[in-house]
Structure formats: structure tokens, C-alpha cells
Amino acid sequence: MSTIGRILGPSSSSVPKLDVVFLHGLDGDPVKTWSYGPKDSFWPRWLAEDNPAAAVWCVGYDASASRWRGSSMGILDRGVNLLALLHTRGIGGRPLCLVGHSLGGLMAKQILFQAAAVAPEFQEIAAQARGLSSSGPRTTARRSPGSPGTSGSSDRPSCSVTLPAMTQGCVSWARGTGTGRLRTASGIS
């Protein structure tokens, strides 16, 4: 199940000018991923306090490494699930920045790609995208031993989609649809 919580934002009498959405990574948590040390060291709250016109959100979803085989949603399905969650909360009707850690960065790319290319009812979210920041391990992968085309076996699941292709798909969409205003901070160009 996916959840989303608003950290801080403009008072109820004013409309936010920007949505910033944080997506945690594998084995992450919508609060612990973005915290360090003392209880008040929660980066999304700092961002919201420094930018009162922005609505800052943290998304939580099942990303347990031990459940990826069998019970956890695949990256494509999870992307659509999170896209629908953002849409139901009214996120994406104004400029949008996505911040992801590790798997969260991949989810951000998947959300934008799905919004632009697959689900016409969500195209406004893609059109409002202004920023994408991804941190953590590189977003490339190798085939696991035992996956089609390799020999041997492994307990690691193989990827049903290549991660470099997902990154390139997101970049191609941003360039090809006139969304040149999308800025990335994940080392992709």
C-alpha cells in the first residue's frame, strides 16, 4: 500500500505555488530516509520552512528488499500506483519537483514516463514537472545470473525493464515533448 503525507505547506487560505515530492528507496521509509541524528533533522521539513509557498510531501510505499520476490509490486506497476496517488491528492496541477533516493529516483522517472507516455489522464503531471533529483546508487543494473541469456543461478530477482533504458526514456521524453524546462540533478543529461 502506498501513502502520502503533507509535511508543511502554505496556510489553508493560500494555494501552493509548487509541489515537492520525496520518494524513499529500497528498505526506506518516508521519514527515516530523509532524517539524520536529532529529531528535528528532517530535511523535507527544513525545505518547507524555507519555502513557504511550496507544499512538501513524503511518499511511503512497500520497498522491502526481502519481499521483492513475489509480494512486492514491480517497478512499472508501482509507478502507476504512485502516479494515481499523486493525482488523487491534487499533486501535479501546479509545478512539480520530484526528489528520490535510490529506488525512489527510479520511481520518479517511472512516474514521469507513465504520466507522459502511457496514461493520458495523468499528462498534466508530466507537463508540470520542473525538477527531478535522484541520489544514491547508480541507476544502472546488470542481469542477475540465472536470468534469461545468462548461466548460473541467483537469489536476486532479474529486472523486467532495463534501468538505463528507463533513464533514457525519461530523458528522451523531457527533450522530445518540449519539456526542456525539466532539470535533473541525477547525473543524467
Side-chain angles (χ1 to χ4, degrees), residues 35-115:
S35 301
Y36 178 78
K39 192 174 186 175
D40 64 344
S41 65
F42 183 49
W43 193 55
R45 180 173 300 281
W46 294 346
L47 181 66
E49 289 169 353
D50 288 347
N51 298 281
V56 179
W57 308 83
C58 282
V59 174
Y61 56 96
D62 182 20
S64 174
S66 65
R67 294 186 199 161
W68 243 33
R69 290 190 79 159
S71 66
S72 214
M73 227 181 251
I75 197 165
L76 299 175
D77 292 334
R78 179 62 72 193
V80 173
N81 174 263
L82 293 176
L83 182 58
L85 178 66
L86 297 177
H87 185 263
T88 60
R89 294 299 293 263
I91 298 169
R94 57 191 154 260
L96 171 68
C97 291
L98 298 171
V99 180
H101 177 263
S102 184
L103 177 63
L106 297 175
M107 295 311 314
K109 293 171 189 176
Q110 187 63 28
I111 288 167
L112 293 177
F113 181 73
Q114 292 285 337

Side-chain angles (χ1 to χ4, degrees), residues 115-138:
V118 178
E121 65 273 24
F122 301 128
Q123 286 182 347
E124 184 179 14
I125 291 175
Q128 290 292 345
R130 298 296 190 273
L132 168 62
S133 177
S134 174
S135 66
R138 292 188 55 172

